[in-house]
């Protein structure tokens, strides 16, 4: 029996906190419909907060359930603040069709919403993710540097980082 080689990937994740806006179900002609939202991520000094907007396709199963539950609160223009993890960041250009920037090229940051750590609606905590069972493994892999990150290196931790 022949075994097919398993494809390996390097992950790039973005973690932060941000406000959720424009929760919507996207209807497509081919394939399955999906949920999407915008996240205005906070960064910078607390007394001078900056925002970066991500247009997200909701990909995580649990994240999908949670975003659907927040749809009504979003329509009611409540402030939805989440702790999030995004993946697969890419850019997409577009042309402004109206307003002061009409005709100019803009850039949109796109990503997949993979995980929601917690949710607050109008300052009230409504969800906290259960703790992961393998927290000790995550802490160990994050705190110990990789000696040889090359795919051909002999470091087992480097090989484990690629999945």
């Amino acid at each position: 029996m022949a075994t097919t080689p398993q494809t390996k990937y390097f992950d790039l994740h973005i973690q932060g906190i941000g406000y959720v806006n424009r929760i919507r179900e996207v209807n497509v002609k081919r394939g399955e419909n999906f949920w999407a939202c915008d996240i205005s991520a906070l960064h910078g000094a607390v007394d001078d907060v900056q925002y970066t907007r991500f247009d997200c396709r909701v990909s995580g199963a649990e994240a999908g359930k949670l975003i659907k539950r927040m749809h009504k609160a979003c329509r009611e223009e409540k402030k939805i603040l989440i702790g999030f993890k995004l993946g697969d960041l890419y850019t997409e250009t577009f042309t402004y069709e109206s307003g002061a920037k009409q005709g100019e090229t803009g850039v949109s940051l796109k990503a997949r919403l993979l995980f929601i750590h917690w949710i607050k609606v109008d300052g009230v905590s409504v969800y906290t993710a259960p703790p992961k069972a393998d927290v000790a493994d995550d802490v160990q892999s994050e705190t110990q540097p990789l000696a040889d990150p090359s795919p051909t290196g002999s470091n087992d931790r480097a090989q484990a980082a690629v999945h």
Side-chain angles (χ1 to χ4, degrees):
M1 179 187 318
T3 60
T4 57
Q6 186 177 5
T7 304
K8 297 181 180 185
Y9 299 92
F10 291 102
D11 290 332
L12 172 63
H13 291 152
I14 300 163
Q15 293 195 91
I17 66 170
Y19 290 100
V20 178
N21 300 293
R22 278 187 11 140
I23 295 175
R24 63 214 180 269
E25 186 173 10
V26 178
N27 299 311
V28 294
K29 292 180 182 179
R30 295 184 179 166
E32 293 186 33
N33 296 346
F34 62 90
W35 284 85
C37 65
D38 289 353
I39 297 177
S40 293
L42 287 76
H43 60 93
V46 174
D47 59 350
D48 187 25
V49 176
Q50 304 292 311
Y51 296 91
T52 298
R53 186 184 149 280
F54 296 96
D55 184 6
C56 301
R57 178 182 182 133
V58 181
S59 295
E62 188 64 22
K65 292 176 190 174
L66 294 167
I67 288 296
K68 287 177 195 176
R69 282 182 27 200
M70 295 297 104
H71 190 221
K72 181 180 178 198
C74 183
R75 283 194 323 258
E76 294 172 353
E77 297 185 9
K78 294 185 177 184
K79 289 187 178 188
I80 305 168
L81 184 67
I82 66 170
F84 62 83
K85 183 191 320 185
L86 305 178
D88 300 330
L89 178 68
Y90 67 98
T91 59
E92 190 171 274
T93 59
F94 63 93
T95 303
Y96 287 98
E97 295 185 8
S98 62
K101 296 183 180 183
Q102 183 174 0
E104 293 181 27
T105 300
V107 178
S108 178
L109 293 175
K110 306 267 187 173
R112 291 186 316 127
L113 176 58
L114 303 173
F115 188 77
I116 297 175
H117 299 282
W118 50 265
I119 302 172
K120 289 184 179 181
V121 177
D122 286 339
V124 177
S125 180
V126 296
Y127 172 80
T128 301
K132 290 172 52 175
D134 57 346
V135 171
D137 293 338
D138 287 349
V139 170
Q140 182 181 13
S141 66
E142 290 176 353
T143 59
Q144 294 183 4
L146 301 176
D148 182 4
S150 68
T152 58
S154 60
N155 186 320
D156 290 338
R157 192 177 319 283
Q159 292 298 317
V162 180
H163 59 82

